Amino acid sequence: MQSKKTYTLQEATRKLEHYCAYQERCHQEVRQKLEGMHMIPEAIDVIIVHLLKHNFLNEERFAKTFVSGKFKIKAWGRRRLTFELKKKDISKVNINQALKAIENEEYIEVFNDLAEKKANSIKESDKFKKRKKLIDYLLYRGWESYLVYEKANELIK
């Protein structure tokens, strides 16, 4: 018979401090981690307040880090970034603030590079199918539809 490990409030707090120090976390991830540790709701609230007070947990900082990383590494567009942050229960104010950190010139440059790279990699002779594949790919990545359709028509004639 396997018994689940139990934690004292101090042990759980220390564990979550390390968890948050290792990588930026949102409130939802921390709450899930604590629930996974079988902590009672009152203890979860006490620990989250402690993490907020000692700046281990900061939703604004998380949103900025998340947006920066996913934009630079995965080349996600604003729509996908917004969607993913909403899934993590990040406030609209923090989402908008994080998205403002992306420069417009850089945003368009990343979009153009991604679109051209993908268009060149699609091995399809039918130009309509090729255009559809490019459009689907870019929309999935969260780029705005007006940019996507404009670029697809420009690249695939």
Side-chain angles (χ1 to χ4, degrees):
M1 190 171 143
Q2 220 172 14
S3 63
K4 48 190 173 188
K5 177 150 175 46
T6 56
Y7 298 90
T8 66
L9 193 59
Q10 287 76 23
E11 288 173 337
T13 303
R14 259 197 317 282
K15 196 168 177 72
L16 267 290
E17 283 176 354
H18 290 291
Y19 181 68
C20 292
Y22 175 72
Q23 177 183 319
E24 287 296 334
R25 309 286 180 180
C26 67
H27 293 33
Q28 185 187 58
E29 290 169 333
V30 169
R31 189 168 291 282
Q32 286 173 343
K33 177 82 170 170
L34 287 164
E35 287 167 359
M37 292 167 66
H38 308 291
M39 300 299 288
I40 60 171
E42 292 81 8
I44 291 174
D45 292 340
V46 168
I47 293 170
I48 288 178
V49 166
H50 168 82
L51 294 172
L52 286 166
K53 198 163 41 174
H54 292 86
N55 210 16
F56 284 100
L57 199 54
N58 183 326
E59 206 173 68
E60 182 184 338
R61 196 175 58 210
F62 170 80
K64 285 180 179 172
T65 306
F66 183 88
V67 164
S68 171
K70 298 298 183 191
F71 174 68
K72 288 186 174 123
I73 296 165
K74 291 193 172 188
W76 284 359
R78 287 190 177 111
R79 290 181 57 215
R80 175 85 184 262
L81 291 166
T82 302
F83 174 74
E84 295 294 334
L85 286 170
K86 280 181 182 173
K87 266 192 349 193
K88 293 181 179 291
D89 289 330
I90 304 298
S91 71
K92 218 177 188 76
V93 173
N94 287 331
I95 292 173
N96 291 336
Q97 212 169 17
L99 291 176
K100 278 182 195 159
I102 301 173
E103 296 290 327
N104 248 353
E105 298 80 37
E106 184 185 8
Y107 188 73
I108 298 300
E109 191 180 309
V110 168
F111 170 73
N112 288 333
D113 291 347
L114 182 68
E116 287 163 19
K117 212 179 279 179
K118 185 62 179 177
N120 293 333
S121 74
I122 299 172
K123 304 290 181 239
E124 181 67 62
S125 53
D126 183 346
K127 69 177 182 178
F128 295 108
K129 286 183 181 174
K130 185 173 182 172
R131 189 178 300 138
K132 169 130 177 53
K133 284 183 179 184
L134 177 63
I135 289 168
D136 289 347
Y137 174 79
L138 294 171
L139 288 176
Y140 173 76
R141 285 287 185 87
W143 296 93
E144 289 82 348
S145 52
Y146 72 92
L147 287 173
V148 170
Y149 288 107
E150 208 174 275
K151 194 68 178 176
N153 291 330
E154 176 191 315
L155 291 175
I156 303 165
K157 292 181 175 99

